[in-house]
Short mmCIF file of all heavy atoms in Angstrom, two decimals:
data_model
loop_
_atom_site.label_atom_id
_atom_site.label_comp_id
_atom_site.label_asym_id
_atom_site.label_seq_id
_atom_site.Cartn_x
_atom_site.Cartn_y
_atom_site.Cartn_z
N GLU A 1 89.16 101.99 107.14
CA GLU A 1 89.08 103.14 108.05
C GLU A 1 90.36 103.37 108.83
O GLU A 1 90.76 104.51 109.07
CB GLU A 1 87.91 102.96 109.00
CG GLU A 1 86.55 103.11 108.32
CD GLU A 1 85.40 103.05 109.31
OE1 GLU A 1 85.65 103.18 110.53
OE2 GLU A 1 84.26 102.86 108.87
N GLU A 2 91.03 102.31 109.28
CA GLU A 2 92.23 102.48 110.10
C GLU A 2 93.32 103.22 109.32
O GLU A 2 93.99 104.11 109.84
CB GLU A 2 92.74 101.11 110.54
CG GLU A 2 93.80 101.20 111.64
CD GLU A 2 94.26 99.83 112.10
OE1 GLU A 2 93.87 98.82 111.46
OE2 GLU A 2 95.02 99.77 113.08
N THR A 3 93.48 102.86 108.05
CA THR A 3 94.47 103.54 107.20
C THR A 3 94.11 105.01 107.03
O THR A 3 94.99 105.88 107.02
CB THR A 3 94.57 102.85 105.82
OG1 THR A 3 94.82 101.47 106.00
CG2 THR A 3 95.66 103.47 104.97
N LEU A 4 92.82 105.29 106.90
CA LEU A 4 92.37 106.67 106.66
C LEU A 4 92.44 107.53 107.91
O LEU A 4 92.14 108.73 107.85
CB LEU A 4 90.94 106.65 106.11
CG LEU A 4 90.75 105.91 104.77
CD1 LEU A 4 89.30 105.97 104.32
CD2 LEU A 4 91.66 106.49 103.69
N SER A 5 92.83 106.95 109.05
CA SER A 5 92.97 107.76 110.28
C SER A 5 94.23 108.62 110.25
O SER A 5 94.35 109.58 110.99
CB SER A 5 92.99 106.84 111.51
OG SER A 5 94.16 106.03 111.51
N VAL A 6 95.17 108.26 109.36
CA VAL A 6 96.41 109.04 109.23
C VAL A 6 96.18 110.16 108.22
O VAL A 6 95.76 109.90 107.09
CB VAL A 6 97.58 108.14 108.77
CG1 VAL A 6 98.84 108.97 108.55
CG2 VAL A 6 97.84 107.06 109.79
N LYS A 7 96.47 111.39 108.66
CA LYS A 7 96.19 112.54 107.79
C LYS A 7 97.40 113.44 107.65
O LYS A 7 98.17 113.63 108.60
CB LYS A 7 95.01 113.36 108.36
CG LYS A 7 93.70 112.58 108.44
CD LYS A 7 92.57 113.44 109.01
CE LYS A 7 91.29 112.63 109.21
NZ LYS A 7 90.70 112.23 107.92
N TYR A 8 97.57 113.97 106.44
CA TYR A 8 98.60 114.98 106.17
C TYR A 8 97.87 116.30 105.92
O TYR A 8 97.06 116.40 104.99
CB TYR A 8 99.43 114.58 104.94
CG TYR A 8 100.40 115.65 104.48
CD1 TYR A 8 101.59 115.85 105.16
CD2 TYR A 8 100.12 116.45 103.38
CE1 TYR A 8 102.49 116.84 104.76
CE2 TYR A 8 101.01 117.44 102.96
CZ TYR A 8 102.20 117.62 103.65
OH TYR A 8 103.08 118.59 103.26
N ARG A 9 98.14 117.27 106.78
CA ARG A 9 97.48 118.57 106.70
C ARG A 9 95.95 118.42 106.61
O ARG A 9 95.28 119.09 105.84
CB ARG A 9 98.00 119.37 105.50
CG ARG A 9 99.47 119.79 105.61
CD ARG A 9 99.89 120.62 104.42
NE ARG A 9 99.04 121.80 104.27
CZ ARG A 9 98.92 122.51 103.14
NH1 ARG A 9 99.60 122.13 102.07
NH2 ARG A 9 98.13 123.55 103.09
N GLY A 10 95.43 117.49 107.40
CA GLY A 10 93.98 117.30 107.50
C GLY A 10 93.37 116.43 106.42
O GLY A 10 92.16 116.24 106.38
N LYS A 11 94.19 115.86 105.52
CA LYS A 11 93.68 115.03 104.43
C LYS A 11 94.25 113.61 104.53
O LYS A 11 95.46 113.45 104.72
CB LYS A 11 94.08 115.61 103.06
CG LYS A 11 93.56 117.02 102.80
CD LYS A 11 92.12 117.02 102.35
CE LYS A 11 91.68 118.41 101.91
NZ LYS A 11 90.24 118.44 101.54
N ASP A 12 93.37 112.61 104.41
CA ASP A 12 93.86 111.23 104.36
C ASP A 12 94.23 110.87 102.92
O ASP A 12 93.98 111.64 101.99
CB ASP A 12 92.82 110.26 104.94
CG ASP A 12 91.49 110.28 104.19
OD1 ASP A 12 91.52 110.24 102.94
OD2 ASP A 12 90.43 110.33 104.83
N ILE A 13 94.81 109.69 102.72
CA ILE A 13 95.31 109.29 101.41
C ILE A 13 94.19 109.21 100.37
O ILE A 13 94.38 109.57 99.20
CB ILE A 13 96.08 107.95 101.49
CG1 ILE A 13 96.69 107.55 100.14
CG2 ILE A 13 95.17 106.84 102.01
CD1 ILE A 13 97.81 108.45 99.67
N SER A 14 92.99 108.81 100.80
CA SER A 14 91.87 108.72 99.87
C SER A 14 91.43 110.10 99.41
O SER A 14 91.15 110.32 98.22
CB SER A 14 90.69 107.99 100.53
OG SER A 14 89.58 107.94 99.66
N GLU A 15 91.39 111.08 100.34
CA GLU A 15 91.00 112.45 99.99
C GLU A 15 92.03 113.09 99.08
O GLU A 15 91.70 113.89 98.20
CB GLU A 15 90.81 113.27 101.27
CG GLU A 15 89.59 112.86 102.08
CD GLU A 15 89.53 113.52 103.43
OE1 GLU A 15 90.61 113.74 104.04
OE2 GLU A 15 88.41 113.83 103.89
N ILE A 16 93.31 112.75 99.30
CA ILE A 16 94.36 113.28 98.44
C ILE A 16 94.19 112.77 97.01
O ILE A 16 94.31 113.54 96.04
CB ILE A 16 95.75 112.91 98.99
CG1 ILE A 16 96.03 113.70 100.27
CG2 ILE A 16 96.84 113.15 97.95
CD1 ILE A 16 97.27 113.26 101.02
N LEU A 17 93.88 111.49 96.86
CA LEU A 17 93.72 110.91 95.53
C LEU A 17 92.49 111.46 94.80
O LEU A 17 92.40 111.37 93.58
CB LEU A 17 93.64 109.39 95.61
CG LEU A 17 94.95 108.67 95.95
CD1 LEU A 17 94.73 107.18 96.12
CD2 LEU A 17 96.00 108.93 94.88
N LYS A 18 91.55 112.02 95.55
CA LYS A 18 90.37 112.63 94.93
C LYS A 18 90.61 114.07 94.50
O LYS A 18 89.75 114.68 93.87
CB LYS A 18 89.18 112.56 95.90
CG LYS A 18 88.64 111.14 96.10
CD LYS A 18 87.52 111.09 97.12
CE LYS A 18 87.03 109.64 97.29
NZ LYS A 18 86.00 109.52 98.35
N MET A 19 91.78 114.62 94.85
CA MET A 19 92.12 115.98 94.43
C MET A 19 92.42 116.03 92.94
O MET A 19 92.85 115.04 92.34
CB MET A 19 93.38 116.47 95.17
CG MET A 19 93.20 116.79 96.62
SD MET A 19 94.79 117.40 97.27
CE MET A 19 94.32 117.77 98.95
N THR A 20 92.22 117.20 92.34
CA THR A 20 92.70 117.42 90.98
C THR A 20 94.19 117.75 91.04
O THR A 20 94.72 118.08 92.12
CB THR A 20 91.96 118.57 90.29
OG1 THR A 20 92.25 119.80 90.99
CG2 THR A 20 90.44 118.33 90.28
N PHE A 21 94.87 117.70 89.91
CA PHE A 21 96.29 118.03 89.88
C PHE A 21 96.52 119.49 90.28
O PHE A 21 97.52 119.82 90.92
CB PHE A 21 96.88 117.75 88.50
CG PHE A 21 97.23 116.31 88.29
CD1 PHE A 21 96.30 115.41 87.78
CD2 PHE A 21 98.48 115.83 88.62
CE1 PHE A 21 96.62 114.07 87.60
CE2 PHE A 21 98.82 114.49 88.45
CZ PHE A 21 97.88 113.61 87.94
N SER A 22 95.59 120.38 89.90
CA SER A 22 95.71 121.80 90.27
C SER A 22 95.61 121.96 91.78
O SER A 22 96.40 122.70 92.40
CB SER A 22 94.62 122.63 89.58
OG SER A 22 94.82 122.68 88.20
N GLU A 23 94.63 121.28 92.39
CA GLU A 23 94.47 121.36 93.84
C GLU A 23 95.67 120.76 94.56
O GLU A 23 96.17 121.32 95.54
CB GLU A 23 93.19 120.62 94.26
CG GLU A 23 91.91 121.29 93.80
CD GLU A 23 90.68 120.41 93.97
OE1 GLU A 23 90.84 119.17 94.14
OE2 GLU A 23 89.56 120.94 93.91
N ALA A 24 96.15 119.62 94.05
CA ALA A 24 97.30 118.95 94.67
C ALA A 24 98.57 119.78 94.55
O ALA A 24 99.40 119.80 95.47
CB ALA A 24 97.50 117.58 94.04
N ARG A 25 98.72 120.49 93.46
CA ARG A 25 99.91 121.35 93.28
C ARG A 25 99.98 122.40 94.38
O ARG A 25 101.05 122.66 94.96
CB ARG A 25 99.87 122.02 91.91
CG ARG A 25 100.99 123.01 91.65
CD ARG A 25 100.75 123.78 90.38
NE ARG A 25 99.45 124.45 90.39
CZ ARG A 25 98.92 125.06 89.34
NH1 ARG A 25 99.56 125.05 88.18
NH2 ARG A 25 97.75 125.65 89.43
N ASP A 26 98.85 123.02 94.69
CA ASP A 26 98.81 124.01 95.76
C ASP A 26 98.95 123.35 97.13
O ASP A 26 99.63 123.88 98.02
CB ASP A 26 97.50 124.81 95.70
CG ASP A 26 97.35 125.57 94.38
OD1 ASP A 26 98.38 125.90 93.77
OD2 ASP A 26 96.20 125.82 93.97
N PHE A 27 98.32 122.19 97.30
CA PHE A 27 98.32 121.50 98.59
C PHE A 27 99.73 121.04 98.96
O PHE A 27 100.14 121.10 100.13
CB PHE A 27 97.37 120.30 98.52
CG PHE A 27 97.18 119.57 99.82
CD1 PHE A 27 96.40 120.12 100.83
CD2 PHE A 27 97.77 118.34 100.03
CE1 PHE A 27 96.21 119.46 102.02
CE2 PHE A 27 97.59 117.67 101.23
CZ PHE A 27 96.81 118.23 102.23
N PHE A 28 100.52 120.60 97.98
CA PHE A 28 101.87 120.09 98.24
C PHE A 28 102.94 121.12 97.84
O PHE A 28 104.04 120.75 97.44
CB PHE A 28 102.10 118.79 97.46
CG PHE A 28 101.29 117.63 97.96
CD1 PHE A 28 100.23 117.14 97.20
CD2 PHE A 28 101.56 117.05 99.18
CE1 PHE A 28 99.47 116.07 97.66
CE2 PHE A 28 100.81 115.97 99.64
CZ PHE A 28 99.76 115.49 98.89
N SER A 29 102.63 122.39 97.97
CA SER A 29 103.57 123.44 97.58
C SER A 29 104.87 123.38 98.37
O SER A 29 105.91 123.86 97.91
CB SER A 29 102.93 124.82 97.76
OG SER A 29 102.52 125.00 99.12
N ALA A 30 104.85 122.77 99.58
CA ALA A 30 106.05 122.69 100.41
C ALA A 30 106.83 121.39 100.20
O ALA A 30 107.82 121.14 100.88
CB ALA A 30 105.67 122.82 101.89
N VAL A 31 106.37 120.54 99.25
CA VAL A 31 107.06 119.26 98.98
C VAL A 31 107.63 119.34 97.55
O VAL A 31 106.93 119.07 96.58
CB VAL A 31 106.10 118.06 99.11
CG1 VAL A 31 106.87 116.75 98.97
CG2 VAL A 31 105.34 118.11 100.43
N PRO A 32 108.90 119.74 97.40
CA PRO A 32 109.47 120.05 96.07
C PRO A 32 109.29 118.97 95.02
O PRO A 32 108.89 119.26 93.89
CB PRO A 32 110.96 120.28 96.38
CG PRO A 32 110.98 120.70 97.81
CD PRO A 32 109.88 119.93 98.48
N HIS A 33 109.59 117.69 95.34
CA HIS A 33 109.51 116.62 94.34
C HIS A 33 108.09 116.45 93.82
O HIS A 33 107.87 116.28 92.61
CB HIS A 33 110.02 115.30 94.93
CG HIS A 33 111.48 115.31 95.25
ND1 HIS A 33 112.44 115.57 94.30
CD2 HIS A 33 112.15 115.11 96.42
CE1 HIS A 33 113.64 115.52 94.86
NE2 HIS A 33 113.49 115.25 96.15
N LEU A 34 107.13 116.48 94.72
CA LEU A 34 105.72 116.34 94.32
C LEU A 34 105.26 117.55 93.53
O LEU A 34 104.60 117.43 92.51
CB LEU A 34 104.84 116.15 95.55
CG LEU A 34 104.76 114.74 96.14
CD1 LEU A 34 103.96 114.74 97.43
CD2 LEU A 34 104.12 113.78 95.14
N ARG A 35 105.61 118.75 94.03
CA ARG A 35 105.15 119.97 93.39
C ARG A 35 105.62 120.05 91.94
O ARG A 35 104.85 120.40 91.05
CB ARG A 35 105.64 121.20 94.17
CG ARG A 35 105.04 122.52 93.65
CD ARG A 35 105.66 123.73 94.31
NE ARG A 35 107.05 123.90 93.92
CZ ARG A 35 108.07 123.88 94.78
NH1 ARG A 35 107.86 123.65 96.06
NH2 ARG A 35 109.31 124.06 94.35
N ARG A 36 106.88 119.69 91.70
CA ARG A 36 107.43 119.76 90.34
C ARG A 36 106.67 118.83 89.39
O ARG A 36 106.28 119.23 88.29
CB ARG A 36 108.92 119.39 90.36
CG ARG A 36 109.56 119.22 88.99
CD ARG A 36 109.48 120.49 88.17
NE ARG A 36 109.88 120.28 86.79
CZ ARG A 36 109.35 120.90 85.75
NH1 ARG A 36 108.36 121.76 85.94
NH2 ARG A 36 109.78 120.67 84.54
#
């Protein structure tokens, strides 16, 4: 739980890993290396 208290744009690392690649592409549109 302590690790999951840190959030990027309202999502913790576990929620990010549960995203699909399509969802993550839109979610990280402002992070060039990840988006590519």
Side-chain angles (χ1 to χ4, degrees):
E1 289 185 15
E2 193 178 8
T3 306
L4 299 181
S5 66
V6 176
K7 298 180 185 291
Y8 173 77
R9 293 182 57 199
K11 300 280 188 183
D12 59 47
I13 184 67
S14 178
E15 290 171 325
I16 289 172
L17 289 175
K18 290 177 181 176
M19 288 182 178
T20 64
F21 278 90
S22 292
E23 292 168 343
R25 176 188 56 188
D26 299 334
F27 186 74
F28 291 109
S29 58
V31 186
H33 293 303
L34 279 174
R35 187 187 68 241
R36 171 60 190 145

